[in-house]
Amino acid sequence: MATINPERLLRRLRVLAEIGRAPDGRLVRLAASYADKLGRDALVAWLQNAGLDIKIDRIGNIFGIWAPKGVDERSPVMIGSHIDTVIDAGALDGCYGVLGALEVVETLREAGFVPRRPIALAAFTNEEGVRYAPDMMGSLVYAGGLDVDEALAKVGVDGTVLGEELARIGYAGSTEPGFLVPSAYVELHIEQGPILEHEGYVIGAVDNLQGISWQKVTLDGVANHAGTTPMSMRRDACYAAALTIAFINDLARNSDSSSVATVGSMRIEPNAINVIPSRAVFTVDLRDPDERRLRMMEDALAAYLRGLPMKTGARVSVERLARFEPVRFDERIVRMVEQAAARRRLPCRRMTSGAGHDAQMIARMAPSAMIFTPSIAGVSHNPEEATAEVDLVAGANVLLDVVCDLASDAEARP
Ligand code: HGY
Ligand code: MN
Ligand code: MN
């Protein structure tokens, strides 16, 4: 059976993992940062070396297109993911899907495979959403879920404007997002969770992805002296935040479903040891595969926040940062993933994605699905993020087979 070039894929993953490391050694390639530019530049060089036609769209999505003569008028098979990272990231999240896609294209070209439709590799801007919300922004804009000018005007957590930053790093492209409507989209990604490893599977045929709700909560109290102010007279914003954070965590922990709740970012003002906090600002990330249950969690949080002023004297304001409903992927492509895994005798199971992905957005415009490989100890968004090399190669080979099926008649293989 055809196989990708393992050394080339693993070497590129190692090279990309070193690009954008901060002086303290942490990997931080936030969207549209200079570190992101360096990663983008490396990717574009690899795409050019592979002989692909490069396109950058207005939200900075990068495309490498292989359109043999006579097929360029047909809608492409699209494969890809993202190369921006979270803070203190691992080496594989997103990058594995982009470099796995490049490896598949190069393997097919070297094998003399002639696709019956173009194959387009995509690296989407700002999948992580850490600097600019919402996450999956580049693919959301590409799929028509967010106006490109509205996205370019987004102000980041650091006060910068996305459009200006993309221009500064040289990735404010001119091509209109959505210029290619894929016939299918397939994303290779690490699972970022414990299921595949725990149950002894190598391949996850992802048939659905859970809903995501991101909010920013601002609680305003009154600064006062930590020593002279009786507890009964305080309007302590941090105390109000602590009560809320405990409430939303307990709500998810005590639910009988797979709901999850995370407060990942928090700021206290004036942030001084002897001043009762006047302000607490924190983010709330709620997720559930079931839209009804996700809405119930949102409603419970809203009700709790309505009662907070009475309880703590804090004033409450909430800003919605992102809201995506659960997505079901395309049954035909999911089955192709399962059949490809079976042909390669790779243990495979269907599963839900706990994490958000670009496939969730592209599914709005094209039949889409994902291929997962196991994360060691289920760890991700962490420098310890790792996947066995044999599993990285196995996942890329399954992507190779599925792309062959999608880009030609099923029996035509290299
Ligand atoms: O938040 C997520 O699930 C993704 O990593 N952006
Ligand atoms: Mn990712
Ligand atoms: Mn991620």
Side-chain angles (χ1 to χ4, degrees), residues 39-331:
R40 287 166 170 266
D41 292 350
L43 175 62
V44 168
W46 281 325
L47 297 178
Q48 280 164 336
N49 269 341
L52 302 181
D53 173 30
I54 310 291
K55 285 268 188 295
I56 314 283
D57 75 8
R58 290 184 58 209
I59 193 72
N61 294 323
I62 297 170
F63 299 90
I65 302 161
W66 174 23
K69 282 258 162 304
V71 295
D72 49 5
E73 76 288 348
R74 298 187 65 187
S75 56
V77 173
M78 188 176 280
I79 51 180
S81 191
H82 63 95
I83 61 169
D84 66 302
T85 74
V86 294
I87 299 169
D88 201 9
L92 299 173
D93 177 358
C95 302
Y96 171 48
V98 173
L99 295 180
L102 174 57
E103 183 49 44
V104 162
V105 167
E106 292 204 271
T107 299
L108 290 174
R109 288 166 68 92
E110 287 160 357
F113 175 79
V114 182
R116 300 257 174 94
R117 50 180 70 245
I119 297 176
L121 185 152
F124 292 106
T125 296
N126 189 31
E127 189 279 345
E128 294 294 1
V130 168
R131 191 182 185 195
Y132 305 97
D135 56 348
M136 288 79 74
M137 191 192 283
S139 47
L140 179 64
V141 166
Y142 192 82
L146 175 64
D147 173 74
V148 61
D149 292 309
E150 191 183 333
L152 292 170
K154 289 282 184 187
V155 177
V157 293
D158 55 4
T160 58
V161 180
L162 176 56
E164 293 168 11
E165 286 295 278
L166 282 171
R168 183 175 67 85
I169 67 167
Y171 281 90
S174 53
T175 305
E176 273 310 309
F179 72 104
L180 288 174
V181 179
S183 58
Y185 175 76
V186 189
E187 181 166 353
L188 176 65
H189 207 289
I190 51 171
E191 177 200 340
Q192 300 185 285
I195 296 169
L196 291 175
E197 182 188 59
H198 181 68
E199 297 183 4
Y201 290 97
V202 172
I203 299 294
V206 186
D207 61 0
N208 75 102
L209 194 152
Q210 68 177 344
I212 300 176
S213 163
W214 278 8
Q215 300 174 68
K216 181 168 84 172
V217 177
T218 301
L219 304 179
D220 283 309
V222 175
N224 214 325
H225 196 296
T228 58
T229 314
M231 295 310 280
S232 61
M233 289 176 63
R234 295 180 178 214
R235 293 174 59 182
D236 180 338
C238 187
Y239 171 60
L243 289 175
T244 308
I245 293 166
F247 168 78
I248 199 66
N249 267 275
D250 291 343
L251 186 74
R253 286 171 192 280
N254 301 332
S255 89
D256 56 359
S257 70
S258 58
S259 307
V260 288
T262 312
V263 174
S265 157
M266 186 165 180
R267 190 180 75 242
I268 301 292
E269 293 173 9
N271 202 29
I273 186 168
N274 55 1
V275 179
I276 297 168
S278 56
R279 170 166 281 195
V281 184
F282 57 93
T283 56
V284 180
D285 176 323
L286 305 174
R287 308 200 192 193
D288 195 296
D290 179 301
E291 174 62 16
R292 196 183 47 76
R293 282 202 303 257
L294 181 57
R295 222 172 290 146
M296 275 167 54
M297 270 208 290
E298 288 177 318
D299 293 348
L301 173 60
Y304 188 86
L305 288 172
R306 278 195 296 274
L308 214 51
M310 181 61 78
K311 204 175 198 159
T312 63
R315 267 181 308 107
V316 178
S317 60
V318 179
E319 181 192 348
R320 179 181 288 294
L321 297 177
R323 180 61 164 90
F324 302 124
E325 297 205 353
V327 164
R328 291 216 67 82
F329 288 130
D330 179 78
E331 180 59 24

